[in-house]
Amino acid sequence: MFKSIRWKFIIVYFLLVFIAMAIVGVFIIRKFEEHQISQTTNSMEQQIEKLKISTIIQKDNWEEVKEDIQETIMGWPSPTTDRIYIISNSEDPSIIATNSSNISKIVGESAFENKNVDNELILSSLSGEKNSKVISTTDSNTKVKHLSYPVMGDYGQIKGIIYITSDLKNVSDTISESKVILIKATLLALFITVILGFLIARSVTEPIKDVTVKAEKMAEGDFNQYVEVKSDDEIGQLASMFNFLTKKLKDTISEVYREKSKMETTFTYMADGLVSISMDGDILHANPIALSILNIEERDIKNYKYDDIMMQLNEKITLDYVKEKNQWQGNAIISANSSIYRAKYAPFKNDKDEIGGLIVVFQDITEQHKLDNMRKEFVANVSHELKTPITTIKSYTETLIDGAIDNKEISIQFLNVVNDECDRMARIVRDLLQLSNLDYKQMKWKNVKTSVKDIIDSAYTKIKISAEEKGQTIKIHIPENVHDVFVDKDGFEQVLLNIMSNAIKYTPDNGEIYVSARNEQDKIIISVKDDGIGIPTEDMNRIFERFYRVDKARSRDLGGTGLGLSIARQIVEAHGGQIWLESEMNMGTEVFIMIPSA
């Protein structure tokens, strides 16, 4: 409770008023008491002065007229609280008169033995000095004013002492009543102070409390807060500044949120994986692509250390390795989830312009890596395919030059081999040029509406002799309701020739080949099925690659260039179609061509 600024205000006001009233009260009471005692003293001195000039006191020998003095004292008009003692000046000063009630006991008693007078004052008066003092009585706990005056004779001798005491009980009672009044006034002032302090404190603390409550709501994320400005003082200025701050903060937070949303959206949907790591090796952030690459769930990020994961992929992009080599920028190749990634890393800095951690970006280069390997393999295959006929041609030509040309029969045989190898190279070059034109879309198709049956029959006519040489049977089944297609007739016929030629090549003697066509909604599906050797499962995905052969030696012996299926796929896709195959080892292969109908 007392931690509240409201109570601090009240306590401060309370203490200020209390201390002020206490100081003023002590000062007033003390001055009032001094004033009362001073008045009493003046009254006593006036009585003494009157006594001194009385006739009986003017007598030189008080011992002779002590009865008269006693009578005078008894009839002397004085306050009931005052006691008058007439003390003689002798070797043993004694009280010769008094107005006290115990006259018989006091009169004639030695002044030094009487408890109602002070010996020091008597001695000082016997020396000619007048003196006074306030003495507290031990029995009644009250104060008494003592006043001692010497009375001088005509020749300057001291005749005696007039000694007066006055009870200060009335003064004490008056002071006590004044204290009570002052205490009541102080309590009333303190009560009023507490009320006023509470009201004043509330006028100050209520706006502050309002600002505090709304600041707490802002801390919880609610920035739609407004403080009512009720004055132009410092509190009003604070409220105005709070409203201004709220508006600015709201705008700033909105801008930050928009930028954060942009960044998060960018990180989430970017094609590359991104991971940020602290200097302690903790994973601070990872987008979905990176989580998939690292094979972890987002909720489990805190349970993993970056180095523990990357150590299994590539040690050169671990944080420990980077720190050890002090090489904060670089890249490395990793393999994860059957894909190839280039991991590029660079540092980011904290608010102290120090390296705060590492950012790693994973770029998927699987296709690039695959294309690069295909390019290398393509160059190697082309080189190999051309090297074999060139070597053969060169060998036979050198043999002819060395003298074999003299033998006509051998020369003709050698020249036939050279001619066959030239034809083989011509086929390879022709197929490569066709693939190049297809790749760069330089082929000019002459699309016409054509019957599927006519295209298949035309291809069959050109290929049936090769099938008959191996004793194979080609069965064609084309329903009459099969739709026409809008294609380049020569190009599409080449596709069928390539596929049917492969079926004949890889089907044993006396085998069977089935060619069929059917409607499939707005598509036409043509199927070429054989009962040949089939294709292994591991080679299915690469069968349409250039120069790819399942059995390279046998394919080369059969005269293939390894480009037929690649050309077929390019032509089909150029016509908006698709080509795929299904195969099982030693059970045969079925190739499907799907083409839009006309």
Side-chain angles (χ1 to χ4, degrees), residues 77-100:
S78 62
T80 57
T81 58
D82 290 355
R83 293 293 177 262
I84 302 174
Y85 301 92
I86 304 300
I87 302 172
S88 65
N89 182 10
S90 59
E91 293 181 1
D92 183 14
S94 60
I95 299 173
I96 60 175
T98 181
N99 63 350
S100 178

PDB file of all heavy atoms in Angstrom, residues 77-100:
ATOM      1  N   PRO A  77      -3.139  42.443  51.547  1.00  0.00           N
ATOM      2  CA  PRO A  77      -3.911  41.908  50.415  1.00  0.00           C
ATOM      3  C   PRO A  77      -2.985  41.248  49.369  1.00  0.00           C
ATOM      4  O   PRO A  77      -2.207  41.935  48.700  1.00  0.00           O
ATOM      5  CB  PRO A  77      -4.594  43.144  49.856  1.00  0.00           C
ATOM      6  CG  PRO A  77      -3.702  44.285  50.221  1.00  0.00           C
ATOM      7  CD  PRO A  77      -3.063  43.924  51.521  1.00  0.00           C
ATOM      8  N   SER A  78      -3.070  39.955  49.241  1.00  0.00           N
ATOM      9  CA  SER A  78      -2.213  39.226  48.269  1.00  0.00           C
ATOM     10  C   SER A  78      -2.976  38.004  47.767  1.00  0.00           C
ATOM     11  O   SER A  78      -3.908  37.523  48.422  1.00  0.00           O
ATOM     12  CB  SER A  78      -0.908  38.798  48.927  1.00  0.00           C
ATOM     13  OG  SER A  78      -1.159  37.901  49.989  1.00  0.00           O
ATOM     14  N   PRO A  79      -2.629  37.505  46.642  1.00  0.00           N
ATOM     15  CA  PRO A  79      -3.280  36.283  46.125  1.00  0.00           C
ATOM     16  C   PRO A  79      -3.159  35.140  47.130  1.00  0.00           C
ATOM     17  O   PRO A  79      -2.206  35.080  47.902  1.00  0.00           O
ATOM     18  CB  PRO A  79      -2.495  35.978  44.841  1.00  0.00           C
ATOM     19  CG  PRO A  79      -1.917  37.270  44.426  1.00  0.00           C
ATOM     20  CD  PRO A  79      -1.601  38.006  45.688  1.00  0.00           C
ATOM     21  N   THR A  80      -4.150  34.301  47.136  1.00  0.00           N
ATOM     22  CA  THR A  80      -4.178  33.196  48.110  1.00  0.00           C
ATOM     23  C   THR A  80      -3.041  32.227  47.882  1.00  0.00           C
ATOM     24  O   THR A  80      -2.682  31.470  48.786  1.00  0.00           O
ATOM     25  CB  THR A  80      -5.504  32.448  48.015  1.00  0.00           C
ATOM     26  OG1 THR A  80      -5.678  31.966  46.652  1.00  0.00           O
ATOM     27  CG2 THR A  80      -6.662  33.367  48.357  1.00  0.00           C
ATOM     28  N   THR A  81      -2.495  32.220  46.688  1.00  0.00           N
ATOM     29  CA  THR A  81      -1.396  31.274  46.407  1.00  0.00           C
ATOM     30  C   THR A  81      -0.055  31.818  46.833  1.00  0.00           C
ATOM     31  O   THR A  81       0.935  31.094  46.835  1.00  0.00           O
ATOM     32  CB  THR A  81      -1.360  30.952  44.896  1.00  0.00           C
ATOM     33  OG1 THR A  81      -1.202  32.159  44.156  1.00  0.00           O
ATOM     34  CG2 THR A  81      -2.633  30.236  44.450  1.00  0.00           C
ATOM     35  N   ASP A  82       0.006  33.091  47.166  1.00  0.00           N
ATOM     36  CA  ASP A  82       1.291  33.693  47.545  1.00  0.00           C
ATOM     37  C   ASP A  82       1.548  33.492  49.048  1.00  0.00           C
ATOM     38  O   ASP A  82       0.625  33.592  49.872  1.00  0.00           O
ATOM     39  CB  ASP A  82       1.307  35.187  47.225  1.00  0.00           C
ATOM     40  CG  ASP A  82       1.333  35.428  45.716  1.00  0.00           C
ATOM     41  OD1 ASP A  82       1.427  34.420  44.947  1.00  0.00           O
ATOM     42  OD2 ASP A  82       1.261  36.601  45.286  1.00  0.00           O
ATOM     43  N   ARG A  83       2.794  33.225  49.380  1.00  0.00           N
ATOM     44  CA  ARG A  83       3.226  33.124  50.782  1.00  0.00           C
ATOM     45  C   ARG A  83       4.351  34.140  51.000  1.00  0.00           C
ATOM     46  O   ARG A  83       5.321  34.164  50.242  1.00  0.00           O
ATOM     47  CB  ARG A  83       3.722  31.706  51.119  1.00  0.00           C
ATOM     48  CG  ARG A  83       2.628  30.651  51.084  1.00  0.00           C
ATOM     49  CD  ARG A  83       1.617  30.887  52.231  1.00  0.00           C
ATOM     50  NE  ARG A  83       0.533  29.930  52.169  1.00  0.00           N
ATOM     51  CZ  ARG A  83      -0.636  30.180  51.632  1.00  0.00           C
ATOM     52  NH1 ARG A  83      -0.858  31.360  51.070  1.00  0.00           N
ATOM     53  NH2 ARG A  83      -1.586  29.261  51.640  1.00  0.00           N
ATOM     54  N   ILE A  84       4.143  34.965  52.077  1.00  0.00           N
ATOM     55  CA  ILE A  84       5.121  36.026  52.394  1.00  0.00           C
ATOM     56  C   ILE A  84       5.873  35.626  53.653  1.00  0.00           C
ATOM     57  O   ILE A  84       5.266  35.237  54.654  1.00  0.00           O
ATOM     58  CB  ILE A  84       4.422  37.377  52.596  1.00  0.00           C
ATOM     59  CG1 ILE A  84       3.618  37.746  51.316  1.00  0.00           C
ATOM     60  CG2 ILE A  84       5.438  38.466  52.920  1.00  0.00           C
ATOM     61  CD1 ILE A  84       2.783  38.984  51.482  1.00  0.00           C
ATOM     62  N   TYR A  85       7.190  35.717  53.567  1.00  0.00           N
ATOM     63  CA  TYR A  85       8.031  35.426  54.739  1.00  0.00           C
ATOM     64  C   TYR A  85       8.934  36.636  54.989  1.00  0.00           C
ATOM     65  O   TYR A  85       9.600  37.111  54.056  1.00  0.00           O
ATOM     66  CB  TYR A  85       8.896  34.176  54.494  1.00  0.00           C
ATOM     67  CG  TYR A  85       8.092  32.920  54.196  1.00  0.00           C
ATOM     68  CD1 TYR A  85       7.786  32.550  52.893  1.00  0.00           C
ATOM     69  CD2 TYR A  85       7.660  32.123  55.247  1.00  0.00           C
ATOM     70  CE1 TYR A  85       7.056  31.407  52.646  1.00  0.00           C
ATOM     71  CE2 TYR A  85       6.928  30.971  54.990  1.00  0.00           C
ATOM     72  CZ  TYR A  85       6.630  30.614  53.695  1.00  0.00           C
ATOM     73  OH  TYR A  85       5.889  29.485  53.445  1.00  0.00           O
ATOM     74  N   ILE A  86       8.879  37.115  56.250  1.00  0.00           N
ATOM     75  CA  ILE A  86       9.779  38.211  56.661  1.00  0.00           C
ATOM     76  C   ILE A  86      10.887  37.578  57.483  1.00  0.00           C
ATOM     77  O   ILE A  86      10.643  36.960  58.523  1.00  0.00           O
ATOM     78  CB  ILE A  86       9.037  39.278  57.488  1.00  0.00           C
ATOM     79  CG1 ILE A  86       7.822  39.812  56.700  1.00  0.00           C
ATOM     80  CG2 ILE A  86       9.983  40.414  57.846  1.00  0.00           C
ATOM     81  CD1 ILE A  86       8.161  40.464  55.388  1.00  0.00           C
ATOM     82  N   ILE A  87      12.119  37.702  56.980  1.00  0.00           N
ATOM     83  CA  ILE A  87      13.264  37.040  57.603  1.00  0.00           C
ATOM     84  C   ILE A  87      14.198  38.126  58.148  1.00  0.00           C
ATOM     85  O   ILE A  87      14.564  39.054  57.428  1.00  0.00           O
ATOM     86  CB  ILE A  87      13.997  36.146  56.603  1.00  0.00           C
ATOM     87  CG1 ILE A  87      13.022  35.092  56.021  1.00  0.00           C
ATOM     88  CG2 ILE A  87      15.190  35.473  57.231  1.00  0.00           C
ATOM     89  CD1 ILE A  87      13.594  34.280  54.876  1.00  0.00           C
ATOM     90  N   SER A  88      14.575  37.950  59.420  1.00  0.00           N
ATOM     91  CA  SER A  88      15.471  38.938  60.062  1.00  0.00           C
ATOM     92  C   SER A  88      16.900  38.668  59.677  1.00  0.00           C
ATOM     93  O   SER A  88      17.272  37.564  59.279  1.00  0.00           O
ATOM     94  CB  SER A  88      15.327  38.860  61.582  1.00  0.00           C
ATOM     95  OG  SER A  88      15.771  37.603  62.044  1.00  0.00           O
ATOM     96  N   ASN A  89      17.719  39.754  59.823  1.00  0.00           N
ATOM     97  CA  ASN A  89      19.151  39.621  59.531  1.00  0.00           C
ATOM     98  C   ASN A  89      19.866  39.507  60.859  1.00  0.00           C
ATOM     99  O   ASN A  89      20.071  40.476  61.565  1.00  0.00           O
ATOM    100  CB  ASN A  89      19.645  40.830  58.747  1.00  0.00           C
ATOM    101  CG  ASN A  89      21.120  40.690  58.381  1.00  0.00           C
ATOM    102  OD1 ASN A  89      21.711  39.621  58.547  1.00  0.00           O
ATOM    103  ND2 ASN A  89      21.723  41.777  57.928  1.00  0.00           N
ATOM    104  N   SER A  90      20.236  38.345  61.244  1.00  0.00           N
ATOM    105  CA  SER A  90      20.947  38.090  62.494  1.00  0.00           C
ATOM    106  C   SER A  90      21.941  36.979  62.250  1.00  0.00           C
ATOM    107  O   SER A  90      22.096  36.501  61.117  1.00  0.00           O
ATOM    108  CB  SER A  90      19.947  37.706  63.584  1.00  0.00           C
ATOM    109  OG  SER A  90      19.213  36.554  63.206  1.00  0.00           O
ATOM    110  N   GLU A  91      22.618  36.602  63.329  1.00  0.00           N
ATOM    111  CA  GLU A  91      23.583  35.513  63.163  1.00  0.00           C
ATOM    112  C   GLU A  91      22.874  34.253  62.670  1.00  0.00           C
ATOM    113  O   GLU A  91      23.446  33.504  61.897  1.00  0.00           O
ATOM    114  CB  GLU A  91      24.286  35.245  64.496  1.00  0.00           C
ATOM    115  CG  GLU A  91      25.169  36.389  64.948  1.00  0.00           C
ATOM    116  CD  GLU A  91      25.855  36.075  66.250  1.00  0.00           C
ATOM    117  OE1 GLU A  91      25.645  34.955  66.765  1.00  0.00           O
ATOM    118  OE2 GLU A  91      26.613  36.918  66.704  1.00  0.00           O
ATOM    119  N   ASP A  92      21.705  34.021  63.113  1.00  0.00           N
ATOM    120  CA  ASP A  92      20.909  32.887  62.631  1.00  0.00           C
ATOM    121  C   ASP A  92      19.586  33.452  62.141  1.00  0.00           C
ATOM    122  O   ASP A  92      18.628  33.602  62.920  1.00  0.00           O
ATOM    123  CB  ASP A  92      20.681  31.877  63.754  1.00  0.00           C
ATOM    124  CG  ASP A  92      19.928  30.643  63.260  1.00  0.00           C
ATOM    125  OD1 ASP A  92      19.828  30.445  61.991  1.00  0.00           O
ATOM    126  OD2 ASP A  92      19.449  29.861  64.088  1.00  0.00           O
ATOM    127  N   PRO A  93      19.507  33.806  60.835  1.00  0.00           N
ATOM    128  CA  PRO A  93      18.305  34.431  60.321  1.00  0.00           C
ATOM    129  C   PRO A  93      17.086  33.539  60.593  1.00  0.00           C
ATOM    130  O   PRO A  93      17.118  32.329  60.370  1.00  0.00           O
ATOM    131  CB  PRO A  93      18.584  34.542  58.822  1.00  0.00           C
ATOM    132  CG  PRO A  93      20.058  34.539  58.701  1.00  0.00           C
ATOM    133  CD  PRO A  93      20.553  33.628  59.778  1.00  0.00           C
ATOM    134  N   SER A  94      16.028  34.191  61.106  1.00  0.00           N
ATOM    135  CA  SER A  94      14.809  33.457  61.441  1.00  0.00           C
ATOM    136  C   SER A  94      13.624  34.150  60.810  1.00  0.00           C
ATOM    137  O   SER A  94      13.669  35.316  60.441  1.00  0.00           O
ATOM    138  CB  SER A  94      14.616  33.379  62.947  1.00  0.00           C
ATOM    139  OG  SER A  94      14.513  34.687  63.493  1.00  0.00           O
ATOM    140  N   ILE A  95      12.550  33.416  60.709  1.00  0.00           N
ATOM    141  CA  ILE A  95      11.316  33.943  60.130  1.00  0.00           C
ATOM    142  C   ILE A  95      10.558  34.621  61.246  1.00  0.00           C
ATOM    143  O   ILE A  95      10.183  33.979  62.246  1.00  0.00           O
ATOM    144  CB  ILE A  95      10.475  32.811  59.507  1.00  0.00           C
ATOM    145  CG1 ILE A  95      11.276  32.116  58.378  1.00  0.00           C
ATOM    146  CG2 ILE A  95       9.162  33.335  58.960  1.00  0.00           C
ATOM    147  CD1 ILE A  95      10.619  30.895  57.806  1.00  0.00           C
ATOM    148  N   ILE A  96      10.298  35.911  61.071  1.00  0.00           N
ATOM    149  CA  ILE A  96       9.635  36.642  62.153  1.00  0.00           C
ATOM    150  C   ILE A  96       8.169  36.895  61.846  1.00  0.00           C
ATOM    151  O   ILE A  96       7.380  37.269  62.725  1.00  0.00           O
ATOM    152  CB  ILE A  96      10.347  37.987  62.429  1.00  0.00           C
ATOM    153  CG1 ILE A  96      10.327  38.866  61.170  1.00  0.00           C
ATOM    154  CG2 ILE A  96      11.785  37.750  62.911  1.00  0.00           C
ATOM    155  CD1 ILE A  96      10.903  40.250  61.384  1.00  0.00           C
ATOM    156  N   ALA A  97       7.770  36.711  60.533  1.00  0.00           N
ATOM    157  CA  ALA A  97       6.365  36.897  60.199  1.00  0.00           C
ATOM    158  C   ALA A  97       6.075  36.152  58.912  1.00  0.00           C
ATOM    159  O   ALA A  97       6.941  35.986  58.055  1.00  0.00           O
ATOM    160  CB  ALA A  97       6.031  38.376  60.047  1.00  0.00           C
ATOM    161  N   THR A  98       4.817  35.735  58.783  1.00  0.00           N
ATOM    162  CA  THR A  98       4.391  35.024  57.569  1.00  0.00           C
ATOM    163  C   THR A  98       2.892  35.042  57.468  1.00  0.00           C
ATOM    164  O   THR A  98       2.189  35.199  58.484  1.00  0.00           O
ATOM    165  CB  THR A  98       4.888  33.553  57.572  1.00  0.00           C
ATOM    166  OG1 THR A  98       4.467  32.944  56.363  1.00  0.00           O
ATOM    167  CG2 THR A  98       4.339  32.795  58.749  1.00  0.00           C
ATOM    168  N   ASN A  99       2.350  34.880  56.299  1.00  0.00           N
ATOM    169  CA  ASN A  99       0.904  34.758  56.132  1.00  0.00           C
ATOM    170  C   ASN A  99       0.505  33.316  55.892  1.00  0.00           C
ATOM    171  O   ASN A  99      -0.595  33.014  55.423  1.00  0.00           O
ATOM    172  CB  ASN A  99       0.415  35.657  54.986  1.00  0.00           C
ATOM    173  CG  ASN A  99       1.016  35.226  53.632  1.00  0.00           C
ATOM    174  OD1 ASN A  99       1.908  34.395  53.586  1.00  0.00           O
ATOM    175  ND2 ASN A  99       0.512  35.816  52.546  1.00  0.00           N
ATOM    176  N   SER A 100       1.430  32.404  56.142  1.00  0.00           N
ATOM    177  CA  SER A 100       1.147  30.982  55.991  1.00  0.00           C
ATOM    178  C   SER A 100       0.173  30.528  57.052  1.00  0.00           C
ATOM    179  O   SER A 100       0.051  31.138  58.120  1.00  0.00           O
ATOM    180  CB  SER A 100       2.449  30.176  56.068  1.00  0.00           C
ATOM    181  OG  SER A 100       2.177  28.801  55.967  1.00  0.00           O
TER     182      SER A 100
END
